[in-house]
Amino acid sequence: METVTKVTKSEAFIAKENNYGAHNYHPLPVVLERGEGVYVWDVEGDRYYDFLSAYSAVNQGHCHPRIIHALKQQAEKLTLTSRAFYSDKLGDFEEYLCKLFGYEKALVMNSGVEAVETAMKLCRKWAYEVKGLAADQAKIVFADGNFHGRTISVISASNDDSARKNFGPFVDGIVRVPYNDVDAFEQLLKEDKNIAGFIVEPIQGEAGVVVPDEDYLSRIRSLCKEYNVLFVIDEIQTGIARTGRMLASYAIDESDSSSKPDILILGKALSGGVLPVSAVLADDQVMLCIKPGEHGSTYGGNPLACAVSLEALQVVIDEKLADNAHLMGMVFRAGLNDIATRSPLIKEVRGKGLLSAIVIDGAEDGHLAWDICMEFKANGLLAKPTHGDKIRLAPPLVINEEQIHECLSIIEKSLARFA
């Protein structure tokens, strides 16, 4: 008699994606159908702690009731106008962004990489129309180890072979310098007078949560000012309270604005993980270089996105999520360092706020880190490896101390499996 193998719900959904979808991701084998706060549930009904937060897009927690209410309320009235017309939501959202982060103008887009592309275009336009560089000579500097997205121009700035292989030819006018190396950047500025801007992450998330020296950004900012170069910060992953304050790069209350960029890029948690929303902020001298018809997006700044994002930002402020991220991050990394004293697998603990990572000893090929994440999953916690031997750990910012300690127990139990 022939044996019939029963296929689980999860296996069926995974098979369908593999059959009909492009193979451009390698997800953990878990099929999620519901989320609330720090938890997600799969189609079998199993509950997990979410320690990726959709790459820090769900800082406010899954399906935050206030954000979902704003979504429903606006969706019943007006969702999209295109920018051919004004709406009653865009101006309010732009004003909110500008006043909160301290800029004169905001340009609202959709995905994070669209915002990075927007910043690149602004750098070049400003370089020709304000700085006075010769036509088609402007260069934009990026840091080694960066991750700003997947478009052709953005991967032109990457030194990650997996992002670049067989996608060339690449865009000209891109220069790279080592991350966290002020001297290398200064030497470049001395040698090349065609530098328009420097685009950098305040903490390199995709690279494995690489935290630079405390004075790195302020020193880079000073050099940019001295050489008349735009200082551009990509806070798509680090922003909106993830690192223990609203922004990783500077304090929006102006208590420390020495690292405030000329152009600020936001995304991900800007909408609380509900819609793709991004924004670029700058003052008039930079932003007004772009004139009508020179840049835009059909969906950028749509009424639904504006209503949702304004509420998502207000939730972060009202619930003091930056403060919680700071406090819970300290508790979490203290616990990770304590585990590291008993587990030879943890080579290093990195992070700030609730953006953390552990570096796994002997996992450069990625197999061990993947296996550890599979064990995390088996014990009720979801995380993903990055760059082979690093595991990024970034729960929603609504997590409490009791949950932190439970997750630390899961991590230690999982690591013990490989001792």
Side-chain angles (χ1 to χ4, degrees), residues 378-391:
N379 291 316
L381 185 148
L382 299 180
K384 276 290 295 288
T386 182
H387 281 243
D389 59 345
K390 294 101 180 169
I391 300 175

Side-chain angles (χ1 to χ4, degrees), residues 281-299:
L281 291 101
D283 288 338
D284 288 349
Q285 183 192 42
V286 175
M287 189 68 81
L288 296 183
C289 290
I290 287 183
K291 305 298 190 297
E294 294 180 346
H295 186 68
S297 161
T298 300
Y299 275 83

Side-chain angles (χ1 to χ4, degrees), residues 328-339 349 408:
M328 293 303 100
M330 290 175 61
V331 172
F332 184 56
R333 273 186 302 284
L336 290 176
N337 280 309
D338 182 51
I339 293 170
V349 176
L408 287 167

Side-chain angles (χ1 to χ4, degrees), residues 65-79:
R66 280 177 53 181
I67 303 173
I68 298 302
H69 176 72
L71 174 76
K72 291 177 178 178
Q73 192 173 47
Q74 184 61 38
E76 292 175 347
K77 294 174 63 179
L78 183 67
T79 58

